[in-house]
Amino acid sequence: MRTGAGHQPNSVSETVSARMPTEDEAAQLRIGSRVRVISVERLTRDAQSRAPEVIEVSLQLTASRSPMTTCP
């Protein structure tokens, strides 16, 4: 956020969810319409409750596999 413009962050909220992509997102990400995306929405407010920063990011959801470990 641009604090030099006189906007000092006072609060931040983030929402993270998994959902099906919109047609535009599927085209931009080059994925099928049935591949889920991770959606991150971030809203930063200043002391006057103005929102000088709003960010929305959509990412392809992929499975990550890590080796299984066992405890003795």
Side-chain angles (χ1 to χ4, degrees):
M1 189 164 98
R2 293 178 38 202
T3 57
H7 301 287
Q8 295 295 323
N10 189 48
S11 66
V12 175
S13 63
E14 285 188 332
T15 303
V16 179
S17 61
R19 59 175 174 74
M20 302 312 257
T22 65
E23 287 184 23
D24 287 340
E25 289 170 333
Q28 289 177 2
L29 295 171
R30 298 181 183 157
I31 59 174
S33 62
R34 297 179 57 112
V35 176
R36 292 179 188 249
V37 293
I38 295 284
S39 175
V40 180
E41 298 174 355
R42 177 184 170 127
L43 176 63
T44 303
R45 293 193 179 275
D46 63 11
Q48 288 76 37
S49 295
R50 294 177 296 200
E53 179 181 67
V54 178
I55 299 172
E56 182 177 346
V57 178
S58 297
L59 307 166
Q60 179 180 355
L61 179 61
T62 59
S64 175
R65 296 179 186 222
S66 58
M68 188 84 135
T69 58
T70 57
C71 296

